[in-house]
Each structure stands twice: as C-alpha cells, then as structure tokens.
Amino acid sequence: MPSVFIKTYGCQMNERDSEAVAAQLVDRGYSLAPSESGADVVLLNTCSVRDLAEQKALGKMTTIAGMNRKRGATQVLGFLGCMAQSRGAELLGQNPAVDLVVGTQKFHRTGEFLDDILAGRRTRIVETAEEDGSQSAIREHLPETGKGGVGAVTAFVSIMQGCNQHCTFCIVPATRGAERSRSIEDIVAECRTLADRGIRELTLLGQIVTSYGKRLYPVRDGRSAFVQLIEAVHGIGGIERIRFTSPHPKGYGDDLVEAFGRLPKLVESAHLPLQSGSDRLLRLMHRGYTRERYLAIVTKLRAVRPEMGISTDIIVGFPGETEEDFEATLSLCREVGFDQAYVYKYSRRRDTPAAEMPDQLPEPVIEERHRRLLAVIDELALAKFDAQVGRMVEILVEGPSHRNAARFEGRTRSNRIVVFEGSERHRGQLLNLRVVRAGNFTLYGDPAIVGLEESDGAEGLNH
Ligand code: SF4
C-alpha cells in the first residue's frame, strides 16, 4: 500500500481540494503519511495568489528533492493546484525530480496518474486542461480524519469553482478558470451525508460563492440561485449552522441580506472583501462597487443582525496607491469597525493587468502602510473582543483547544474562538456560556456555568 503525504498552501478551497484528493487516494488503497519523510508520494497543493506562496512551494520541493538525492531515496513528487495550473510543464523543466503536475480541473484524476507512475506505465505527467464538470468532482470526504471525518463537527462543501470578475490584481480567474457551479441536488446530497456523519456546521466554499448558479437557476421570487441553495441546505436536519466563503460585496443583494434575518442557521458572520477604501483604486482594481455602496451593505447587514461579525481582506500598495488613497482605507476601517481583517501587501502577479500598471510602489512604502494598517485593524479587533466579556454566547464545540489540549474550544456564531474547560461529551454540542476573559484573539468561557444558563440573546438566535 503506497503512502502519500499532501502539504497544502493557501486558502480553504485548497484545503478542501487536498482533503478530496486524500479521500480519493485512500479509496484507491493508498495510506496517508503523517509527514513527507518515509512517504512514497509527496504532493504539494499550491497557491498562486501571492509570489511568496509560490516561492515557498518551489523551495519546499527543491529541499525534498535534494534530501532524496543525498539519501538515495526515491519518492514520487508532484505539484497540484493553482501554481501547477499556471506554470504547467515549466515546473518539470525547473526540477527534474518532479514527476507530476496536476491542474485545478484535474484533481479527481490524481489517483489514476499516481497509479500509472508507480506501476511504471507513465512518467512525468502534466495535466492542466479544462474539463467539463470538474467542479462536481470535489465531493469526497475522508471517512476517518480531516474536517469532514469522524469526530469532526464542521465541514467544507465546495459549491462552485472559478471566477468571472477579473479583478486587475488577481490571478485566480487564470488558475481556477471561469465560474462553474454544481447542482443544488448534488450539493444537498453531500450535505445530508455529512449531517448523517455528525457534522453540525457547514461552510459553503467557492472562489466567488455569491455568483453561485447564475447560469443554472433563474432568480425565483426575487431570490438568487445562491440564496435558493442556502435555503435548500437550511432544510437539512442535523445541520445547525451555515457559513460561506469567499463572497463578493456585489453579491450581498437584498435577497441575501434578508436571508440573514430569515434563516436562523445562517450565522451572524459576513466576509466582505474590501481591498481598498478609495473609489479611485476600487475602479483601477475593477472591483465593481464604491466605498458608499460597501458601507450601505454593512449598514443593511447590521440592521438585520446587529451582532453580525464582519471580516474583510485588504490590499496595501496597489500600483498608484497614494497616501490619500491609503488614508481612505484607514478611515473606512474605522468607520466599519471590522471584527477581523486579513491585510495583504500587493504582490505583482504575471499576466494580470495590475502587473503592467504604472507607479508600482517601492517595497518600503508598502511595508510601512502594511504596518500602519495592521495596527489599526488590531486595535479595532481587540476592542471588539474585549466588548464580548460578560456576554452570553452560543458556541458549537469543535474539540480540544489548539492552544491547550487540556481544554476544549468552539466558535461563536460570529466566528470567534472560545476556550473553556469542557470534555469529549461536549463535542458537537451547541452551548451557551458566559465570556469571562478576552485574550489575544481568543475568548475564555466560564466552565462553572457551561450549559446552565439560557442565552440572553446577546449573540445569535435560539433555535
Ligand atoms: S472576485 Fe476574488 S477571485 Fe475573483 S478575480 Fe476578484 S479577487 Fe480574484
């Protein structure tokens, strides 16, 4: 039984793809190795969004190949995912030890390619062509481990692939292709299976989930295909919470905002990727909304759910960003008061329009703005965490704490981690507990009152 180790770089979509590849390989008789040393096959599932992510994966592969050379070991080595898609055969040329390059529409064929290489039927395979229906191939979950496995209470479900938005800084439309959605029936069947396995919370995944199903399902009673899908998943017994990522601000139409007020399983957590607070930059980025429209969405979301946790992504140092543009981003952050923000330094990606724009900013300017923005974001987020102290919150208990295995942890509906003195019997339960302390982006709940008090409705709905 050959053993395989998969290392994942990048986003939750990549994590989900790796899990589906692992499940596919286990199904074909492979075992999963806990690390690369000693594995028969090492696969790196790559990310191309920033240059740093590509360099890390390339460096890792060079190190593994060098170690193998030194030890005289033979391992089958492969690149999967976004960088495999964008660089293709170039990766074989760069590193003669690489045997396999599998693009983003060919994950489901990884097992077949490995079988061929291990049996000596084929060598050095590169498969990056588009494939009709590949979006529906990301459906297998690991039976024993992984996010959707035994003991897990949360799972990712891939609902669509690709993106048609073509933001000028983004390589994703090139690596993931055009938008392609699975059917509602197919997704609901997968969600039901997960519910039967004990999954309580689902995160619907895609590169731009709010564009889900536009070509498959017409708007019905004012509800978009994405809202129709959420309604269908909402009807599944055993599923208590629904999240989704990554959406686009343009996708928060009135139907989706209204769904937050109407569907109690849709938790109070909205990711609204901002990228910039300057209208001039938003136009250059081809984002399709203005600062005013963005703020209007935030206001509407908070009107239907006052406890809505709002997170975002922001890029600093986009070509031509002036101090005035940057100040507009800072002021918008203060105006919204984000609960969480992922701040990225602009990374020049080949074959994107922004890479050819004039006025690329020098690294020290980008560094300095990155530091200033992070300071503001941390100040806002920590104030929000502190404000939770003394409140009752509902958490879904996920298992032992990642920071301290002697304790348990769960997430609030607005996606904050709460650590408490729980035990195995709490896993998978929805508990109301009081927040007694706020640490560095972690809340602590009082074990003495776990489950003994009713929620005062401070966060979320009782259902
Ligand atoms: S919407 Fe997101 S995935 Fe699509 S091009 Fe823009 S940043 Fe990239």
Side-chain angles (χ1 to χ4, degrees):
M1 183 190 282
S3 60
V4 59
F5 174 70
I6 306 177
K7 182 167 175 61
T8 308
Y9 297 83
C11 64
Q12 288 152 320
M13 273 71 85
N14 276 17
E15 277 183 42
R16 177 71 194 98
D17 292 336
S18 289
E19 194 210 349
V21 169
Q24 173 205 140
L25 295 178
V26 167
D27 205 40
R28 293 176 88 94
Y30 289 71
S31 65
L32 298 180
S35 69
E36 71 231 30
S37 62
D40 299 303
V41 178
V42 179
L43 301 174
L44 304 185
N45 190 9
T46 57
C47 170
S48 279
V49 169
R50 275 169 292 285
D51 184 53
L52 187 66
E54 290 202 349
Q55 295 310 323
K56 273 189 188 169
L58 289 169
K60 179 78 181 169
M61 192 60 96
T62 305
T63 306
I64 296 171
M67 299 269 283
N68 284 345
R69 251 195 328 274
K70 255 191 217 154
R71 292 182 302 151
T74 48
Q75 271 180 329
V76 174
L77 302 180
F79 284 112
L80 313 179
C82 288
M83 186 175 68
Q85 184 70 39
S86 70
R87 297 195 179 214
E90 178 191 326
L91 292 168
L92 295 189
Q94 276 173 1
N95 189 336
V98 174
D99 303 283
L100 181 61
V101 177
V102 179
T104 53
Q105 300 196 29
K106 299 289 182 188
F107 285 119
H108 57 292
R109 296 188 58 197
T110 308
E112 170 197 332
F113 300 147
L114 286 177
D115 284 356
D116 282 351
I117 291 170
L118 287 164
R121 288 189 291 270
R122 293 175 73 184
T123 55
R124 310 212 83 197
I125 300 173
V126 179
E127 288 280 357
T128 56
E130 290 182 7
E131 185 169 325
D132 274 353
S134 62
Q135 72 275 16
S136 302
I138 314 292
R139 63 152 73 95
E140 307 307 327
H141 292 264
L142 284 170
E144 300 295 339
T145 57
K147 214 165 153 64
V150 170
V153 296
T154 65
F156 291 144
V157 173
S158 175
I159 64 168
M160 54 92 67
Q161 295 260 300
C163 181
N164 294 351
Q165 176 66 24
H166 294 282
C167 299
T168 54
F169 54 82
C170 186
I171 198 170
V172 166
T175 58
R176 291 287 180 164
E179 291 166 10
R180 297 141 4 249
S181 299
R182 297 172 65 189
S183 71
I184 290 180
E185 296 71 35
D186 198 23
I187 296 166
V188 166
E190 181 180 331
C191 295
R192 281 217 175 90
T193 307
L194 289 166
D196 290 345
R197 280 195 197 172
I199 296 297
R200 295 287 164 262
E201 177 182 301
L202 294 171
T203 302
L204 308 179
L205 284 183
Q207 273 75 40
I208 181 162
V209 280
T210 39
S211 293
Y212 168 81
K214 279 190 173 154
R215 268 169 228 88
L216 288 180
Y217 303 100
V219 173
R220 213 183 53 211
D221 301 329
R223 291 170 191 167
S224 62
F226 183 52
V227 171
Q228 292 172 43
L229 171 68
I230 293 172
E231 287 172 342
V233 174
H234 196 272
I236 299 173
I239 297 300
E240 303 282 357
R241 291 177 168 188
I242 303 168
R243 302 185 189 275
F244 55 81
T245 202
S246 190
H248 190 287
K250 284 197 317 185
Y252 283 85
D254 287 348
D255 61 328
L256 181 54
V257 173
E258 182 261 347
F260 274 103
R262 178 167 56 89
L263 303 173
K265 294 180 182 179
L266 190 55
V267 293
E268 296 87 338
S269 181
H271 189 62
L272 277 168
L274 169 67
Q275 311 306 2
S276 172
S278 153
D279 281 343
R280 194 182 72 84
L281 283 201
L282 287 172
R283 266 195 311 278
L284 285 175
M285 289 175 165
H286 192 229
R287 289 294 290 172
Y289 52 85
T290 59
R291 176 186 177 98
E292 190 187 7
R293 165 91 181 110
Y294 186 93
L295 287 169
I297 297 165
V298 172
T299 303
K300 282 185 189 178
L301 286 168
R302 286 185 170 149
V304 291
R305 293 277 186 97
E307 287 301 314
M308 184 72 78
I310 297 184
S311 58
T312 195
D313 301 321
I314 302 171
I315 294 173
V316 290
F318 185 82
E321 182 187 68
T322 61
E323 180 60 25
E324 197 184 350
D325 293 319
F326 178 65
E327 294 282 345
T329 300
L330 288 179
S331 75
L332 192 144
C333 289
R334 290 197 187 280
E335 207 167 324
V336 173
F338 289 111
D339 294 79
Q340 200 179 5
Y342 303 94
V343 179
Y344 301 104
K345 291 178 244 177
Y346 169 70
S347 179
R348 198 172 184 170
R349 312 308 297 126
R350 63 178 178 180
D351 301 331
T352 59
E356 306 309 321
M357 285 181 185
D359 305 323
Q360 303 281 328
L361 297 196
E363 203 52 38
V365 173
I366 298 178
E367 286 285 350
E368 194 258 347
R369 288 183 186 165
H370 184 249
R371 264 197 311 277
R372 279 163 65 200
L373 182 54
L374 272 186
V376 170
I377 292 297
D378 283 357
E379 174 200 320
L380 294 169
L382 286 172
K384 292 252 172 176
F385 266 76
D386 287 345
Q388 297 292 311
V389 176
R391 309 186 82 165
M392 293 293 296
V393 291
E394 178 202 89
I395 64 162
L396 174 65
V397 182
E398 295 183 9
S401 163
H402 287 90
R403 296 186 179 201
N404 176 356
R407 293 178 163 206
F408 270 62
E409 70 179 26
R411 271 173 206 274
T412 66
R413 292 171 62 90
S414 58
N415 213 17
R416 293 186 175 94
I417 293 174
V418 183
V419 175
F420 70 106
E421 299 224 357
S423 63
E424 264 309 319
R425 73 189 168 88
H426 293 121
R427 191 194 284 267
Q429 286 185 22
L430 290 173
L431 294 178
N432 294 320
L433 47 81
R434 190 173 296 281
V435 176
V436 293
R437 188 162 66 85
N440 208 7
F441 297 110
T442 304
L443 300 174
Y444 295 87
D446 187 335
I449 54 171
V450 166
L452 297 181
E453 289 191 27
E454 289 302 310
S455 165
D456 60 9
E459 176 163 345
L461 306 175
N462 291 317
H463 54 271

